[in-house]
Amino acid sequence: MKKSSLGYSDTVSCAMEVGPLTALQKRASWGRYVVDFFLVITQLGFCGVYVVFLAENVKQVHEGFLESKIAPMNINATGSSSEKRNTDLRIYMLCFLPFLVLLVFIRDLKSLSLLSLLANLSMAVSLVIIYQYIVRDLADPRKLPPVVGWKKYPLFFGTAVFAFEGIGVFSLERNFLHLVNKSHMGHDNTQTCRTSVKFQSKVLPLENRMKDSARFPQALNIGMAIVMALYISLATLGYMRFGDEVKGSITLNLPQDKWLYQSVKILYSFGIFVTYSIQFYVPAEILTPVVTSRVRQKWKLLSELVVRALLVCSTCAVAVLIPRLDLVISFVGAVSSSTLGLILPPLVEILTFYKENLSLLTIFKDVFIAVVGFVGFLTGTYVTVEEIIYPASTVLANATGSFPTDVNATDLVVGLK
């Protein structure tokens, strides 16, 4: 008996292979390709979100610096000051491009361990400062609207799934041993395989690296509880503090005239900059072997670096084409994160355990989760694409005063990430 730990794409492929449908068994390899495709789209989508985040925050810091520097010198220089402060957001994105390319040329994640530690510390300090600011002047919850229009719910769905799927594809961590009989090439003899499949995070298989893997569910639950508390509290307090003016990232609501809060944007931007390379690791590991396997040994390193540079350029291109943080987050969450986190996992469980007399409650639960994910996929994608193509429709529908001058302002959805 051999126990093997499978990754996400291999898990889906294996589930299709041992499932009851012959059509799926013959196309089991497709499952691996489908999962890898959505993993690449999801992770590159995360990276695209990070590019928008970096550009918007650095833009505010730069504008605040110019305003504090120029205004005292010459109060009549409002025209030139305004012109500089209105620098297109896409210019900032392009300025980050060469630095991101150099960052992803670091192929070993261990080399980023120190930077990652500093990034986590900087974001932790930033969160403390953000909390102390937003709790100062909270609005009366009774003055806030109890509900919103239906189009906001698909956007929220994509945002929420994006936030939690970034932690790991599954909230379900399960080991199972399954007895499978396989037939090979028309022979009567069968081979008995015992497979141990683990649903685990797509980025870091933490359980396999733990000294005491039996305690992984406890660690997972504690970690998820802490992250959930942070998401809910920050989103709720942020909305109570800023109302409909809340941006796609809470850091964009911080004052631009105080360097304490400007430093928060710098610290958080540093953390996101380092995190970019970690999110980039998955698509690079999936795509670079496809290219390097087709070139000579002496060209392998160069070809890998070229692929990495092109992937970074693709994330920057997405950010340039959709320079709105809330819409990019919602789109990635609705399309890819819902597929990886809600649709595929319950279907894999049904395919794998169909011979073990699954209870009706388990089947209902799996079908319900998959249906919710599919509905969220359709509605979230539709609403987000509509907002991307016709951005003025939402602005006009929600405008209560003058028309907003900053089309890049992401004030339509409470950003959780």
Side-chain angles (χ1 to χ4, degrees):
M1 302 294 181
K2 183 180 179 180
K3 182 180 179 181
S4 59
S5 176
L6 304 180
Y8 191 9
S9 57
D10 291 327
T11 298
V12 174
S13 178
C14 182
M16 294 175 62
E17 187 177 354
V18 303
L21 302 178
T22 305
L24 293 180
Q25 293 174 359
K26 293 180 179 180
R27 298 169 178 81
S29 60
W30 290 15
R32 182 180 296 105
Y33 300 141
V34 169
V35 172
D36 284 344
F37 171 78
F38 279 107
L39 281 174
V40 170
I41 296 299
T42 301
Q43 297 304 116
L44 292 182
F46 288 168
C47 294
V49 169
Y50 291 168
V51 174
V52 180
F53 179 93
L54 290 169
E56 288 193 327
N57 281 271
V58 171
K59 182 176 187 288
Q60 280 200 357
V61 173
H62 184 223
E63 290 174 353
F65 172 77
L66 289 179
E67 188 172 344
S68 63
K69 202 76 173 172
I70 297 176
M73 293 175 56
N74 187 1
I75 195 171
N76 297 322
T78 307
S80 60
S81 169
S82 175
E83 183 179 352
K84 290 181 181 179
R85 284 187 276 112
N86 285 334
T87 303
D88 196 309
L89 185 66
R90 298 170 179 85
I91 301 299
Y92 292 90
M93 297 178 185
L94 294 176
C95 290
F96 272 108
L97 180 58
F99 298 101
L100 292 171
V101 170
L102 293 176
L103 179 67
V104 301
F105 281 174
I106 303 176
R107 297 176 295 162
D108 186 7
L109 287 180
K110 292 181 180 179
S111 303
L112 295 171
S113 57
L114 178 59
L115 285 177
S116 181
L117 175 62
L118 295 175
N120 289 334
L121 291 176
S122 66
M123 289 191 284
V125 172
S126 300
L127 277 177
V128 173
I129 300 175
I130 291 172
Y131 271 107
Q132 66 84 27
Y133 176 75
I134 62 178
V135 298
R136 289 182 177 182
D137 188 20
L138 296 178
D140 187 350
R142 292 172 295 182
K143 296 181 180 180
L144 298 173
V147 294
V148 294
W150 73 269
K151 282 191 175 182
K152 296 294 182 71
Y153 290 99
L155 292 173
F156 167 76
F157 173 86
T159 303
V161 176
F162 172 92
F164 282 98
E165 204 275 335
I167 304 165
V169 171
F170 299 111
S171 61
L172 173 64
E173 172 68 21
R174 178 176 183 177
N175 299 324
F176 61 84
L177 295 177
H178 186 69
L179 195 62
V180 184
N181 290 323
K182 291 184 180 179
S183 298
H184 295 279
M185 301 179 65
H187 293 286
D188 293 333
N189 60 315
T190 60
Q191 177 184 358
T192 301
C193 296
R194 197 174 189 182
T195 308
S196 174
V197 180
K198 296 183 178 181
F199 290 89
Q200 51 190 294
S201 169
K202 66 179 178 296
V203 181
L204 298 175
L206 297 177
E207 185 185 14
N208 292 344
R209 298 168 184 256
M210 289 183 65
K211 189 173 295 185
D212 184 7
S213 60
R215 300 182 62 184
F216 177 78
Q218 179 184 359
L220 177 65
N221 292 334
I222 293 175
M224 289 292 292
I226 294 174
V227 172
M228 186 181 298
L230 288 174
Y231 278 143
I232 294 176
S233 61
L234 189 60
T236 303
L237 294 174
Y239 184 68
M240 291 175 63
R241 175 68 171 82
F242 302 109
D244 288 337
E245 297 300 318
V246 70
K247 305 293 181 65
S249 170
I250 200 72
T251 57
L252 300 176
N253 287 102
L254 299 178
Q256 291 183 250
D257 56 347
K258 295 184 179 180
W259 278 105
L260 174 63
Y261 302 115
Q262 294 290 69
S263 66
V264 169
K265 299 171 187 177
I266 296 174
L267 289 174
Y268 229 102
S269 295
F270 170 73
I272 292 298
F273 179 78
V274 175
T275 308
Y276 181 100
S277 62
I278 299 175
Q279 299 288 1
F280 185 86
Y281 182 80
V282 174
E285 285 296 301
I286 293 175
L287 295 178
T288 52
V290 177
V291 177
T292 56
S293 62
R294 303 186 180 188
V295 299
R296 296 180 180 179
Q297 183 63 37
K298 64 178 181 178
W299 298 109
K300 285 187 181 296
L301 177 59
L302 178 61
S303 61
E304 179 177 352
L305 296 180
V306 170
V307 170
R308 287 174 174 265
L310 291 177
L311 290 177
V312 174
C313 291
S314 69
T315 64
C316 188
V318 171
V320 168
L321 292 174
I322 315 175
R324 285 185 51 183
L325 191 61
D326 61 331
L327 293 185
V328 180
I329 289 175
S330 183
F331 182 75
V332 174
V335 174
S336 300
S337 299
S338 61
T339 302
L340 296 174
L342 294 176
I343 298 176
L344 291 180
L347 297 181
V348 168
E349 182 175 38
I350 292 176
L351 288 175
T352 307
F353 291 99
Y354 76 99
K355 287 185 178 180
E356 298 191 359
N357 297 324
L358 286 175
S359 65
L360 291 178
L361 179 62
T362 301
I363 296 176
F364 175 79
K365 175 205 68 175
D366 288 340
V367 172
F368 176 77
I369 294 174
V371 169
V372 169
F374 185 70
V375 172
F377 172 91
L378 292 180
T379 58
T381 303
Y382 171 78
V383 172
T384 306
V385 170
E386 184 183 44
E387 296 296 337
I388 293 172
I389 299 176
Y390 307 108
S393 62
T394 300
V395 176
L396 289 173
N398 294 286
T400 56
S402 60
F403 191 85
T405 57
D406 184 6
V407 297
N408 292 326
T410 55
D411 59 348
L412 304 179
V413 178
V414 177
L416 299 182
K417 186 172 181 177

